[in-house]
Amino acid sequence: MAIAGASAQSQTYVLDKGWEFSQAGSNEWMSARVPGTVHQDLLDHGRLPDPFYGMNELKVQWVEKEDWLYRTVFTVTADQLKSDAAWLTFEGLDTYADVYLNGSLLLKADNMFVGHKLAVKDVLREGENRLMIRFRSPVEETAPQWDTDGFNYPADNDHSEKRMSVYTRKAPYSYGWDWGIRLATSGIWRPVKLTFCNGAAIDDFFVRQQEVTEQVAKVDNQLEINNVISTPKEAQVKVVYAYGEQADTLTRTVVLQPGKNSLSMPAWIEKPHLWMPNGWGDPVLYTFTATVSVDGKEVASREEAIGLRSIRVVMEDDKDGKSFYFEVNGKPMFAKGSNYIPGDALLPNMTGERYARLFEDIRAANMNMVRVWGGGIYEDDRFYEEADRNGILVWQDFIFACTTYPHDPTFLKRVSEEAVYNMRRLRNHASLAMWCGNNEIYEGMRYWGWKDKYSPVVWKEMTEGYDVLFRQLLPELVAANDPGRFYMHGSPYEANWGRPESWKIADSHNWGTWYGQKPFESLDTEIPRFMSEYGFQAFPEMKTIRMFASPEDYELESPVMNAHQKASIGNFLIKKTMALYYKVPEKFEDLIYAGLILQGQGMRHGIEAHRRHRPYCMGSLPWQLNDSWPVVSWSSIDYYGNWKAMHYQIRRAFAPVLVD
Ligand code: NHV
């Protein structure tokens, strides 16, 4: 691809054109999408059947075992090469990827959740430049680890005989889940960019909120400025913060030393317009713009949308046990929300429109919170931008779920890199309310019988690993990189749904109405301090079933329907609970319909109970909000965006005022 002419300013080009891909060893090249995945590219070329249809999941499993090559050619002009610096940025490579540029090995990537900014000025050539990335199979790569460990980790959502998901820093759900297709992808899943820079670059702009009240917002504008010339240079640094007609400016003259310069520019904003959660007022966003000028000419700028607010998670011993609630702008907030899983099994298929629609659906259901659950991904920037704009607090898990993990030095290094990278990427978002170490690992270790499955030596390693990862490494990294943001080691913090005494402590996942086979009325009395998961399944509506099945499959236990029901006793549990309330219909379509109504009624029952017990109970997050492919699940919105009856019931039950 050709790249437009150079200028004295820094310029960034998205490298999304001219890409080709090939199965390693085949030397057959076909056009490719970037960002994308091998699965999407094979689908585009008719080399894979639609994995979401029928039982095609089985037919596409070979893809994960192969290595794949991606390449493109781009041109660079002599002028561009005269820039002071040039960087190639990969915002996400999935996962084991060797990156070559013009014969030079630039990078060996090994973590899907980390972006890379690589200095390439010395490698670029005038004219054509050849970029190639070799993706190694995530399962072949980790097979030696599995072989030498000699046991399966407890990761039983990993739909494979040899559970290798734990070794790779890659979205856990892509190896299968109890609502998830297994599509262990490879590819350039986030954008690639080429930047030419003159003078200086703003590497980071963190608007750290130190104190925010109705009277004043005290913020520290923390800048990292990279002087890319080899001599010290005087520069003017300016921060403008504006809302509507109001604008204030801070300026500073500094001498930038070659390389990285850190700068702190504190500001007090009197009587700030506060960012408010949905239902409380407007989610006001200020525009903070930082610029760097050298010799009177602007060389770098960066803009951030900043919502000024305070968020505190109050987790304190009290007369009843241990509280758990969010205090926003000084007032306790009853959290109304849901649990979010990745929006697509093929992640680059998520568009800006789909993120926008998702948040419309969240806001329309009177929610003020969404939990990004730990079996998925650290979400796209657009996800948090929508959350900021819609007044939705984000409970963010680190990406670990439902199994113990290794904690060897290589693994810990990868985790550190991803934690730092994602905290620095996300810490400006007003919506980011907390970090949580993982989903249900502590619970699993104590109550899911894991201890008995392993030798004492291995079990000791696993329990030590938990402390190292979730009680040492991650909290230290949060304190250093996102100071002031709440961290807790895992969710649930302590409670277990089978042990009533424990419900008095912080957040709970109550699976009594599903695995426990209890009626929905049990939610009236099993009241936690904060319900961060509880759920009940329903099939998606017939319109969605028709997208993946034909009329001959319309039977509860047909092979195709079972391929889209990943919870082993799911159909039994649906019918068992249905029999408590309704006459269970014989006809497939009627059963689907009744099941949707049942799920909606049941979940509404739970929300109402939680709200009734406020302030003892301060939050209700049903499992789960959405689907990543067309499937039977606990979701309230199906893969195609159709609201199940449950989402309508949630909207009613979360209305600002509820008559009970
Ligand atoms: O099974 C539904 C969901 C999961 O998709 C997801 O991982 O965190 N679910 C169930 C539970 N947690 C979650 C509770 N898990 C158990 C309950 C009882 C016995 C074993 C596991 C979510």
Side-chain angles (χ1 to χ4, degrees):
M1 76 186 270
I3 282 174
S7 97
Q9 304 284 315
S10 292
Q11 303 235 325
T12 293
Y13 306 91
V14 180
L15 298 188
D16 57 358
K17 306 236 163 49
W19 285 94
E20 298 181 308
F21 82 114
S22 168
Q23 188 172 339
S26 81
N27 207 29
E28 185 194 358
W29 293 88
M30 292 173 277
S31 63
R33 285 195 237 177
V34 170
T37 59
V38 172
H39 289 84
Q40 285 164 279
D41 290 326
L42 289 169
L43 267 163
D44 286 349
H45 289 277
R47 300 292 177 108
L48 275 192
D50 175 2
F52 294 175
Y53 189 82
M55 295 170 66
N56 287 347
E57 178 181 5
L58 297 171
K59 297 185 188 150
V60 304
Q61 293 308 310
W62 62 274
V63 177
E64 68 178 40
K65 298 183 183 76
E66 302 299 323
D67 294 356
W68 299 91
L69 303 173
Y70 278 76
R71 71 180 185 192
T72 191
V73 177
F74 60 91
T75 57
V76 171
T77 65
D79 264 4
Q80 287 170 328
L81 274 186
K82 285 188 203 128
S83 306
D84 297 326
W87 295 294
L88 200 51
T89 306
F90 296 94
E91 294 187 359
L93 295 170
D94 173 15
T95 291
Y96 297 105
D98 299 343
V99 179
Y100 296 87
L101 178 62
N102 297 332
S104 174
L105 174 61
L106 286 185
L107 168 73
K108 286 178 89 69
D110 53 23
N111 187 334
M112 169 184 184
F113 304 126
V114 179
H116 306 271
K117 184 176 171 183
L118 310 168
V120 291
K121 185 168 145 70
D122 296 340
V123 187
L124 288 175
R125 293 174 181 158
E126 186 182 337
E128 289 195 340
N129 287 264
R130 289 169 199 285
L131 178 61
M132 190 180 79
I133 307 177
R134 186 187 178 104
F135 290 94
R136 296 190 304 281
S137 152
V139 289
E140 294 301 327
E141 180 81 9
T142 47
Q145 289 182 271
W146 192 90
D147 287 340
T148 53
D149 249 352
F151 58 84
N152 258 333
Y153 272 84
D156 60 3
N157 289 299
D158 179 335
H159 296 164
S160 171
E161 260 171 56
K162 299 183 178 182
R163 295 174 189 160
M164 287 187 270
S165 54
V166 293
Y167 299 113
T168 300
R169 296 310 298 148
K170 174 171 172 60
Y173 86 108
S174 68
Y175 291 81
W177 211 265
D178 61 1
W179 38 257
I181 183 172
R182 180 180 174 108
L183 291 179
T185 47
S186 284
I188 307 168
W189 75 294
R190 280 180 172 163
V192 184
K193 292 173 181 166
L194 177 64
T195 303
F196 297 102
C197 172
N198 286 301
I202 298 173
D203 278 353
D204 194 58
F205 178 20
F206 177 27
V207 183
R208 183 175 165 197
Q209 303 188 27
Q210 292 165 314
E211 186 190 325
V212 178
T213 64
E214 280 177 11
Q215 282 72 43
V216 65
K218 298 180 185 173
V219 303
D220 187 16
N221 296 286
Q222 299 181 349
L223 287 156
E224 280 176 25
I225 302 169
N226 185 358
N227 174 7
V228 295
I229 48 184
S230 52
T231 49
K233 194 81 193 166
E234 191 177 274
Q236 282 71 48
V237 181
K238 198 158 77 169
V239 174
V240 179
Y241 39 100
Y243 173 61
E245 302 289 286
Q246 271 173 271
D248 287 288
T249 306
L250 299 170
T251 43
R252 178 85 65 84
T253 301
V254 292
V255 175
L256 297 175
Q257 299 300 323
K260 190 177 131 179
N261 295 260
S262 298
L263 204 65
S264 147
M265 295 172 70
W268 284 27
I269 302 167
E270 307 283 343
K271 300 240 174 325
H273 300 274
L274 297 180
W275 182 90
M276 288 291 185
N278 183 31
W280 281 22
D282 290 333
V284 173
L285 294 173
Y286 284 72
T287 304
F288 278 60
T289 311
T291 53
V292 179
S293 302
V294 174
D295 301 329
K297 210 163 61 187
E298 188 180 303
V299 292
S301 76
R302 184 139 160 184
E303 198 177 284
E304 297 287 328
I306 300 294
L308 300 171
R309 86 287 176 268
S310 68
I311 298 179
R312 198 163 76 91
V313 182
V314 184
M315 191 162 91
E316 286 168 358
D317 291 337
D318 60 17
K319 67 175 173 26
D320 301 308
K322 195 185 272 295
S323 69
F324 187 89
Y325 67 92
F326 292 81
E327 194 186 81
V328 184
N329 297 329
K331 297 188 188 76
M333 183 188 89
F334 185 93
K336 304 170 178 177
S338 193
N339 282 279
Y340 175 79
I341 63 163
D344 209 295
L346 297 171
L347 286 163
N349 276 336
M350 285 303 289
T351 58
E353 292 76 51
R354 287 178 71 188
Y355 280 115
R357 166 128 184 243
L358 174 79
F359 275 88
E360 266 168 44
D361 290 343
I362 291 173
R363 191 163 47 90
N366 296 308
M367 293 182 184
N368 55 27
M369 177 170 288
V370 65
R371 171 172 176 235
V372 178
W373 162 84
I377 57 168
Y378 306 92
E379 262 296 334
D380 196 278
D381 292 339
R382 292 168 295 184
F383 181 97
Y384 304 93
E385 286 162 13
E386 292 293 345
D388 288 350
R389 273 199 285 275
N390 286 286
I392 306 299
L393 276 75
V394 177
W395 163 327
Q396 179 70 49
D397 283 357
F398 283 100
I399 303 305
F400 302 90
C402 300
T403 174
T404 58
Y405 284 86
H407 67 292
D408 56 87
T410 307
F411 190 83
L412 293 182
K413 179 169 170 285
R414 289 176 184 164
V415 171
S416 299
E417 285 168 357
E418 93 188 37
V420 172
Y421 176 80
N422 286 292
M423 282 191 274
R424 288 170 64 95
R425 180 169 71 90
L426 302 179
R427 62 193 179 178
N428 273 342
H429 289 284
S431 54
L432 187 62
M434 65 174 277
W435 292 101
C436 171
N438 66 76
N439 177 70
E440 292 183 355
I441 300 180
Y442 188 60
E443 159 138 13
M445 289 180 46
R446 297 211 295 179
Y447 303 119
W448 296 355
W450 295 349
K451 187 178 173 201
D452 304 329
K453 287 192 190 148
Y454 300 97
S455 71
V457 173
V458 168
W459 182 245
K460 186 161 172 278
E461 244 181 57
M462 287 179 170
T463 48
E464 282 168 5
Y466 189 88
D467 288 342
V468 169
L469 271 168
F470 303 114
R471 296 189 195 270
Q472 290 165 26
L473 181 65
L474 288 175
E476 279 168 19
L477 292 173
V478 172
N481 294 278
D482 195 9
R485 196 105 45 195
F486 178 83
Y487 172 87
M488 78 174 174
H489 70 89
S491 177
Y493 173 79
E494 176 83 41
N496 169 256
W497 59 270
R499 292 166 178 76
E501 272 307 297
S502 73
W503 304 337
K504 299 172 177 169
I505 300 166
D507 74 316
S508 287
H509 297 186
N510 187 331
W511 282 93
T513 57
W514 182 251
Y515 298 99
Q517 307 182 22
K518 294 185 187 179
F520 295 116
E521 285 71 21
S522 63
L523 294 168
D524 290 333
T525 49
E526 301 190 0
I527 299 294
R529 307 306 298 272
F530 188 108
M531 190 72 102
S532 41
E533 277 188 20
Y534 63 112
F536 191 82
Q537 275 198 348
F539 282 61
E541 62 183 278
M542 281 309 296
K543 191 166 77 182
T544 292
I545 292 175
R546 280 187 213 110
M547 299 292 285
F548 65 81
S550 3
E552 64 268 24
D553 307 316
Y554 297 168
E555 270 176 53
L556 214 47
E557 303 290 344
S558 73
V560 167
M561 288 311 299
N562 273 334
H564 292 250
Q565 164 59 290
K566 302 289 189 187
S568 51
I569 53 166
N571 293 345
F572 163 78
L573 293 175
I574 290 172
K575 283 201 286 191
K576 181 165 179 197
T577 299
M578 193 181 288
L580 297 177
Y581 300 97
Y582 316 140
K583 184 165 176 296
V584 180
E586 301 267 310
K587 203 171 148 222
F588 180 75
E589 283 88 341
D590 295 343
L591 186 73
I592 302 311
Y593 189 83
L596 285 160
I597 305 296
L598 177 71
Q599 182 200 32
Q601 299 278 19
M603 296 308 286
R604 185 181 69 175
H605 199 98
I607 292 175
E608 289 178 351
H610 301 145
R611 290 188 70 178
R612 251 194 326 268
H613 285 85
R614 175 187 177 153
Y616 178 87
C617 173
M618 282 300 281
S620 187
L621 311 183
W623 181 268
Q624 71 205 61
L625 178 64
N626 60 315
D627 286 332
S628 58
W629 72 307
V631 68
V632 184
S633 84
W634 300 261
S635 70
S636 64
I637 305 176
D638 77 19
Y639 174 67
Y640 298 105
N642 302 305
W643 289 21
K644 291 176 167 176
M646 170 176 156
H647 205 70
Y648 294 91
Q649 293 288 18
I650 289 176
R651 180 175 66 178
R652 284 168 65 175
F654 279 154
V657 178
L658 181 67
V659 180
D660 196 23

